[in-house]
Amino acid sequence: MRVVYSPSHLLHDPVFEVSGGRRIPAYEVTGRGESIRRALEADGGFAFVDPTGHGEDPITAVHDPGLLRYLAGAWSEWRQRGTGAEVIMPDTVLHPALREGMGPAPEPGSPCGRIGYWCYDTATPIVPGTYRAARDAVDVALTTAELVLGGETAAYGLCRPPGHHAARAMFGGYCYFNNAAIAAEWLVRRTGQRVGILDVDYHHGNGSQQIFWKRQDVPYASIHADPNRTYPYYAGHADEAGAGAGAGATFNQPLAAGTTDEDYLAAVDRAIDWLAARSDDLLVVSLGIDTYGQDPIGDFALTTPVYHEVGRRVAASGRRLVILQEGGYFVPALGENVRQWLRGIEGRPLDLGPRSWDGPTGG
Amino acid sequence: MRVVYSPSHLLHDPVFEVSGGRRIPAYEVTGRGESIRRALEADGGFAFVDPTGHGEDPITAVHDPGLLRYLAGAWSEWRQRGTGAEVIMPDTVLHPALREGMGPAPEPGSPCGRIGYWCYDTATPIVPGTYRAARDAVDVALTTAELVLGGETAAYGLCRPPGHHAARAMFGGYCYFNNAAIAAEWLVRRTGQRVGILDVDYHHGNGSQQIFWKRQDVPYASIHADPNRTYPYYAGHADEAGAGAGAGATFNQPLAAGTTDEDYLAAVDRAIDWLAARSDDLLVVSLGIDTYGQDPIGDFALTTPVYHEVGRRVAASGRRLVILQEGGYFVPALGENVRQWLRGIEGRPLDLGPRSWDGPTGG
């Protein structure tokens, strides 16, 4: 399988996030991308490909141009302010109750106001290289889509930073641009087909859901932790099914803490069946591995072999697959679990021999 | 003049807030309330009165009952979670773009989701005594309103925490319940009159504006720093004038950095004239002193004597005055500036003799 990878993800190297007012070490670290790269290299069965530039149009096809403009200029705008901030993150966010009854707010003039106009959490810091890395992650996704359009049965894009929490006009949740949504929209425009999204990240992909909420040509199926107990809190419930032309084209399966391999596979089967009835030849997969039992953020109980089996079942759906990396924060096993998933896709056997882990302390 | 004061404001004692991801010492500290209390006691011309309980009904007359319920239970809910957090503040906020096109979000089940459902910033921590202090600040406001309804020409409520950033369904900006809005609504319901709000805090009172946005019986006039450069960023522009029945009943005067006494007094005159044409006998004043030249948050250049003059001009409007404390963060001069303001109201002379300041390092 072809793997699209760019070392420029290393430019996005936040060292901390803020959780409930406390600085904690960042979960979404450079070591994640390198863990995956090394595991796939060690496997020997993957061919690495560089991304090619696709410009801004595919981004503004799903995102507010103001979001692109903001992210492009955020670091230099902040630097000019001269505060010496290590990272940029909001302390004040445009909450809907703030303008209740008043209509939309204009974009503020000040950097402090602007970041909370576009971002909704304190987990998604902007560092000097964030924009370059996020733009290249989009190109990784689009290059992966292009490989599949060019005839590959499946290709994998090692996107970092991830994307599925980014909505039309908002970033957050470690995500800046919605790589999967951008790829899906690009494929719809190229093919005229219905392109499904299968989101198997531990967290609900609120951004992907929001972007395609009123569309029937990009059906969205997500398997995730119940938002009543975890991020992103405000979307991902089972009764959210789309609206307007998109009514019935969103399928959420929120799962309980401790979800086992068996329960998870049943949810995967339901999602695959649901997508089979609503999409054509192409499927975008938002591949999160934070469902793993040892993940420091997640609370599912999945084991390494299940990733191989999920891959096998997704491949058995017969769709051509654009597989894009989302979350997964237990770095020592991240690359290994992705490798098994992709081996499952290819019909190669589960390979639980000597591990290619980065070791118990992570990458 | 009667001063309504409760020592229970001391129960709300946050030690830090988070600004751009950095913990900084809290600005909205207990010493603020005590600076004012001591200055007014030392003056000798003020009579202190305890607040009396007014129950929940005046609060839910302007706030979502869910906000009251959330604040009443937030600390114990969080404590049961057992995280050992020193304070509670959000890391993820319900941003309007998150649900764009999808309709309102249900209130999340988890504490982490709930706080960002009700709160929009990282400056407004909840500590164990916050709810009690915030409830008592409302009673301070209502007792002050009651004194004026009972015949006083003017009375002062030493509200802490302040209130004017709290909207119908949201808290933030050091504010939990909107003391001034609650008092104004209570007065409207008691008298049937139009009750104006004059907001002279350095920051725009976005909560008060939002609550009365579509009402003509509570005209809202605010003089504040331009939200294009400062908090609350998303409201307070000159072109925001109310809507529906409230069209024309909001009057914002955003001012430049470095605003002088002279420029400020001209804005005060405009606000008084505007309110005179739209309100009856009663006026609620949101009294912020963060307009002071030495304020660590503000950037106006006001001096102590101007507070006396503003008080004099407001009194000359002939309205009966319910004066409620909002912001002001240069603690050493806070009490003194409030004292001069209230002396101006009473027609007593400016008193720049030996200061009642807490000293150069604050209270």
Side-chain angles (χ1 to χ4, degrees):
Chain A
M1 188 185 303
R2 302 282 184 89
V3 169
V4 187
Y5 165 85
S6 168
S8 69
H9 83 84
L10 295 164
L11 295 170
H12 178 58
D13 62 346
V15 294
F16 69 89
E17 55 183 270
V18 173
S19 173
R22 285 190 276 202
R23 282 193 183 195
I24 60 171
Y27 286 109
E28 206 295 284
V29 292
T30 56
R32 297 182 58 249
E34 295 307 286
S35 167
I36 299 170
R37 176 185 61 78
R38 284 198 290 267
L40 300 187
E41 281 178 352
D43 180 275
F46 298 95
F48 281 70
V49 177
D50 291 329
T52 54
H54 288 72
E56 296 184 351
D57 288 351
I59 297 175
T60 54
V62 309
H63 286 298
D64 188 322
L67 176 64
L68 176 66
R69 198 166 49 236
Y70 175 73
L71 288 170
W75 185 264
S76 65
E77 171 182 286
W78 211 269
R79 191 174 47 198
Q80 282 162 21
R81 200 160 160 266
T83 60
E86 300 146 84
V87 304
I88 314 174
M89 61 173 61
D91 47 49
T92 309
V93 171
L94 175 59
H95 188 292
L98 197 147
R99 300 276 308 186
E100 183 188 319
M102 295 169 56
E107 185 177 355
S110 68
C112 292
R114 278 156 61 80
I115 190 160
Y117 182 85
W118 293 112
C119 179
Y120 72 111
D121 68 22
T122 62
T124 316
I126 292 175
V127 297
T130 298
Y131 178 67
R132 186 71 266 149
R135 278 296 304 272
D136 285 4
V138 170
D139 282 326
V140 166
L142 290 169
T143 304
T144 308
E146 209 156 41
L147 287 171
V148 173
L149 217 53
E152 304 279 348
T153 307
Y156 170 74
L158 206 173
C159 295
R160 183 180 170 271
H164 73 150
H165 293 302
R168 188 191 70 84
M170 183 193 81
F171 71 98
Y174 310 152
C175 302
Y176 303 85
F177 299 118
N178 193 319
N179 308 309
I182 292 165
E185 176 67 16
W186 186 87
L187 288 167
V188 166
R189 295 190 183 199
R190 288 289 173 108
T191 65
Q193 294 187 8
R194 298 174 300 172
V195 177
I197 298 178
L198 173 64
D199 191 330
V200 294
D201 191 274
Y202 170 82
H203 301 96
H204 179 251
N206 58 285
S208 305
Q209 171 170 302
Q210 185 275 319
I211 288 167
F212 298 113
W213 183 249
K214 295 181 176 173
R215 298 264 296 268
Q216 56 75 36
D217 54 347
V218 187
Y220 175 74
S222 179
I223 303 166
H224 52 268
D226 192 325
N228 261 319
R229 73 172 187 280
T230 196
Y231 197 93
Y233 310 116
Y234 313 117
H237 302 281
D239 63 357
E240 296 170 358
T250 292
F251 178 35
N252 286 324
Q253 296 188 68
L255 301 182
T259 287
T260 62
D261 289 351
E262 187 183 355
D263 293 340
Y264 193 81
L265 287 171
V268 168
D269 287 342
R270 287 189 293 269
I272 290 171
D273 288 349
W274 184 89
L275 283 164
R278 288 165 183 83
S279 62
D280 295 314
D281 190 38
L282 294 156
L283 205 60
V284 173
V285 178
S286 275
L287 177 59
I289 302 290
D290 33 7
T291 48
Y292 186 53
Q294 295 192 58
D295 195 89
I297 302 181
D299 61 10
F300 287 179
L302 302 200
T303 66
T304 294
V306 84
Y307 295 109
H308 184 269
E309 178 61 15
V310 173
R312 198 190 65 75
R313 295 189 189 194
V314 170
S317 75
R319 296 320 195 250
R320 289 191 293 153
L321 302 170
V322 178
I323 305 159
L324 304 176
Q325 189 63 42
E326 301 283 0
Y329 306 98
F330 184 66
V331 176
L334 176 58
E336 178 63 10
N337 287 333
V338 170
R339 184 173 80 94
Q340 301 296 352
W341 208 99
L342 298 177
R343 288 175 67 94
I345 288 287
E346 292 187 300
R348 289 196 282 152
L350 180 67
D351 174 26
L352 290 179
R355 305 301 175 91
S356 56
W357 288 14
D358 295 329
T361 56
Chain B
M1 189 187 301
R2 301 283 184 90
V3 169
V4 187
Y5 165 84
S6 168
S8 69
H9 82 85
L10 295 164
L11 295 171
H12 178 59
D13 61 345
V15 296
F16 69 88
E17 55 183 271
V18 172
S19 172
R22 285 190 278 203
R23 282 194 181 193
I24 61 172
Y27 286 111
E28 206 294 286
V29 291
T30 56
R32 297 181 58 249
E34 295 306 287
S35 167
I36 298 170
R37 177 185 60 78
R38 284 198 289 268
L40 300 187
E41 281 179 352
D43 180 275
F46 298 94
F48 281 70
V49 177
D50 292 330
T52 54
H54 288 72
E56 296 184 350
D57 288 352
I59 297 175
T60 54
V62 309
H63 286 298
D64 188 321
L67 176 64
L68 176 65
R69 198 167 49 236
Y70 174 74
L71 287 170
W75 185 263
S76 64
E77 170 181 286
W78 211 268
R79 190 176 45 196
Q80 281 162 21
R81 201 159 160 266
T83 61
E86 300 147 85
V87 305
I88 314 174
M89 60 173 61
D91 47 49
T92 310
V93 171
L94 174 60
H95 188 291
L98 195 146
R99 300 274 309 184
E100 183 188 321
M102 296 171 55
E107 185 176 354
S110 70
C112 292
R114 278 156 61 79
I115 191 160
Y117 182 86
W118 293 112
C119 180
Y120 72 112
D121 68 23
T122 62
T124 316
I126 292 175
V127 296
T130 297
Y131 178 67
R132 185 71 266 150
R135 279 295 304 272
D136 285 5
V138 170
D139 282 326
V140 165
L142 290 169
T143 304
T144 308
E146 208 157 40
L147 287 171
V148 173
L149 217 53
E152 303 278 347
T153 307
Y156 169 74
L158 205 173
C159 295
R160 183 179 171 273
H164 73 150
H165 293 302
R168 188 190 70 82
M170 183 194 80
F171 71 98
Y174 309 152
C175 302
Y176 303 85
F177 299 118
N178 193 318
N179 308 308
I182 292 166
E185 177 67 15
W186 187 87
L187 288 166
V188 166
R189 294 189 182 198
R190 288 289 175 108
T191 65
Q193 295 188 9
R194 298 174 301 172
V195 176
I197 298 178
L198 173 63
D199 191 329
V200 293
D201 190 274
Y202 170 82
H203 301 95
H204 179 252
N206 58 286
S208 304
Q209 170 171 303
Q210 186 274 320
I211 288 168
F212 298 113
W213 183 248
K214 294 182 176 172
R215 298 264 297 268
Q216 55 76 36
D217 54 347
V218 187
Y220 175 73
S222 179
I223 304 165
H224 53 267
D226 192 326
N228 262 318
R229 74 172 186 284
T230 196
Y231 195 95
Y233 310 116
Y234 313 116
H237 301 282
D239 63 358
E240 296 170 359
T250 292
F251 178 35
N252 286 325
Q253 295 188 70
L255 301 181
T259 288
T260 62
D261 289 350
E262 188 181 355
D263 292 340
Y264 194 81
L265 287 170
V268 168
D269 287 342
R270 288 190 292 270
I272 290 172
D273 287 350
W274 184 89
L275 283 164
R278 287 164 184 83
S279 62
D280 296 312
D281 190 37
L282 294 157
L283 205 60
V284 173
V285 179
S286 276
L287 177 59
I289 302 290
D290 33 8
T291 49
Y292 186 53
Q294 297 192 58
D295 194 273
I297 303 181
D299 62 10
F300 286 179
L302 303 200
T303 66
T304 294
V306 85
Y307 295 109
H308 184 269
E309 178 61 14
V310 172
R312 198 190 66 74
R313 294 188 189 195
V314 171
S317 74
R319 296 317 196 253
R320 288 191 293 153
L321 303 170
V322 177
I323 305 159
L324 303 176
Q325 190 62 43
E326 300 283 359
Y329 305 99
F330 184 66
V331 175
L334 176 58
E336 178 63 11
N337 287 334
V338 170
R339 185 174 80 93
Q340 301 296 350
W341 207 100
L342 298 177
R343 288 176 66 95
I345 289 286
E346 292 187 299
R348 289 197 281 151
L350 181 66
D351 174 26
L352 291 178
R355 304 298 173 92
S356 55
W357 287 16
D358 295 328
T361 56

